[in-house]
Amino acid sequence: MSQSAEDGTRVVRIGAEQRRREEALTQRVLDAFAGAESPRLRQLMTALVRHLHAFAREVRLTEAEWDAAIRFLTDTGHITTGKRQEFVLLSDVLGLSMQTITINNEARGDATEATVFGPFFVEDAPLIGNGDDMSFGAKGTPLWVEGRIRDTDGNPVGGARIDAWECDADGRYDVQYPDDRTACRARLFSDDGGNYRFWALMPVPYPIPGDGPVGRLLQAAGRSPMRAAHLHLMVSAPGHRALVTHVFDANDDYVARDSVFGVKESLVRTFEDFPPGTPAPDGRTLDRDWSKVRFDIVLAPPDDPPDPDAAVEIAAEPPA
Ligand code: BEZ
Ligand code: FE
């Protein structure tokens, strides 16, 4: 028997025979996966089936809703190309990307927290020296970024590789323009004392791609597509866990409602603003407003190597 609760959710009371049938079906599916050779695949698939069936039963999933979900996933597949990954975007707005990152970057001492990688990283960004400018002429307010990289015991990490990337003042990454420009991205290395510094641009909030099924989902749910203003940093050094993170601007409204749940309080900084003529940390005098942020980074010790016996392999192609 179906009725609507006060908040509009569907409430269905089912009888004993109906419950028995639903539980028996779930058990048959679980049994079908019980023989999987890989214990990890068995664990993943049986937990997935348990949670999926519990979800369908809890919400009393209708056939029309199941059909709509299949169409949504089909659209998600159709819009996905080598350059556009709508499934990752879906995972992002569901918070699954951030949950997976949180699980896999276990808290270690005061190590800097990780956040989403995003789709706009480019492997061969220009190499710059400490103090150089990674904006390469893109539009925006100059931002001096500085910090020190250390390990969880307090030792400086010299020679750490830092990749930094961000959008311009119009909220677009270089790869989103139709030309071949390279801007707002660079690679540099920390000095012997673990220090790094470079010029970037003041980050601005920007929308995640909204012209596909994920955009339609956000709209239907009354959710904003905006990402909180951030600068991406990826830091790696031998003997340390690689870190993918952002620094966020405390004065940005979207810090409290980032569309992909990437904001962690520990990554939010107050950016200082300066008027034209104020000498910058590198001795230059700018004839325009500029800002400054300090972001010290703590690298965690390396993770244990993965257990090869726990690997899950599903053949990419069906057997011939
Ligand atoms: C980004 O920060 O670049 C990003 C992250 C997730 C989805 C879209 C963009
Ligand atoms: Fe980004």
Side-chain angles (χ1 to χ4, degrees):
M1 200 209 303
S2 169
Q3 62 192 77
S4 283
E6 262 172 39
D7 63 357
T9 55
R10 195 160 167 249
V11 180
V12 177
R13 237 175 259 121
I14 59 169
E17 173 56 16
Q18 179 65 20
R19 171 168 296 116
R20 189 198 64 73
R21 289 181 191 184
E22 291 174 10
E23 285 171 357
L25 177 64
T26 302
Q27 193 55 52
R28 284 219 302 284
V29 184
L30 291 173
D31 292 347
F33 280 109
E37 206 180 311
S38 156
R40 180 63 174 155
L41 180 63
R42 194 162 64 232
Q43 181 182 15
L44 291 171
M45 291 313 300
T46 52
L48 180 65
V49 166
R50 263 191 288 109
H51 288 279
L52 274 179
H53 282 229
F55 160 75
R57 295 180 63 206
E58 178 189 320
V59 302
R60 308 311 297 171
L61 189 69
T62 68
E63 287 171 297
E65 288 161 349
W66 178 88
D67 196 49
I70 295 295
R71 269 186 282 117
F72 177 87
L73 292 175
T74 304
D75 291 349
T76 302
H78 283 157
I79 205 170
T80 296
T81 64
K83 288 193 164 158
R84 164 100 184 241
Q85 233 307 351
E86 194 80 354
F87 281 106
V88 175
L89 204 58
L90 177 58
S91 163
D92 292 344
V93 303
L94 292 175
L96 181 60
S97 306
M98 270 313 292
Q99 190 62 279
T100 307
I101 289 162
T102 305
I103 291 165
N104 287 280
N105 288 268
E106 211 176 317
R108 298 285 201 96
D110 61 349
T112 302
E113 289 191 85
T115 188
V116 281
F117 190 54
F120 300 123
F121 174 74
V122 170
E123 185 56 55
D124 291 315
L127 181 66
I128 62 169
N130 269 298
D132 288 351
D133 186 355
M134 71 162 223
S135 69
F136 295 107
K139 190 168 138 193
T141 303
L143 171 72
W144 177 259
V145 185
E146 64 181 17
R148 182 167 172 262
I149 304 176
R150 64 167 174 84
D151 65 19
T152 46
D153 293 326
N155 305 305
V157 181
R161 172 181 153 176
I162 304 161
D163 282 278
W165 68 105
E166 65 175 342
C167 65
D168 62 17
D170 290 327
R172 293 171 88 182
Y173 286 80
D174 54 1
V175 292
Q176 293 178 292
Y177 288 95
D179 53 29
D180 280 340
R181 75 183 69 181
T182 295
C184 296
R185 64 177 72 247
R187 174 180 304 174
L188 68 157
F189 289 85
S190 58
D191 66 19
D192 290 346
N195 298 298
Y196 73 92
R197 56 209 165 270
F198 60 92
W199 283 102
L201 296 179
M202 189 66 190
V204 298
Y206 64 87
I208 60 171
D211 58 340
V214 171
R216 295 201 297 275
L217 172 64
L218 292 184
Q219 206 164 20
R223 279 181 53 187
S224 158
M226 298 303 284
R227 283 236 55 208
H230 61 273
L231 169 73
H232 291 258
L233 291 162
M234 180 162 74
V235 183
S236 55
H240 303 277
R241 184 167 79 192
L243 173 70
V244 174
T245 195
H246 299 354
V247 54
F248 293 95
D249 173 8
N251 284 321
D252 173 28
D253 285 350
Y254 291 102
V255 156
R257 49 196 172 104
D258 183 36
S259 55
V260 302
F261 309 97
V263 179
K264 308 223 174 172
E265 232 181 278
S266 67
L267 304 178
V268 180
R269 295 288 179 280
T270 300
F271 291 58
E272 286 177 85
D273 300 327
F274 300 94
T278 317
D282 61 352
R284 286 170 56 190
T285 303
L286 278 70
D287 57 3
R288 48 193 297 205
D289 290 337
W290 60 279
S291 302
K292 179 176 128 179
V293 66
R294 181 167 184 93
F295 190 58
D296 294 321
I297 292 169
V298 182
L299 296 181
D303 291 323
D304 296 335
D307 174 3
D309 291 339
V312 175
E313 276 180 45
I314 299 176
E317 302 286 337

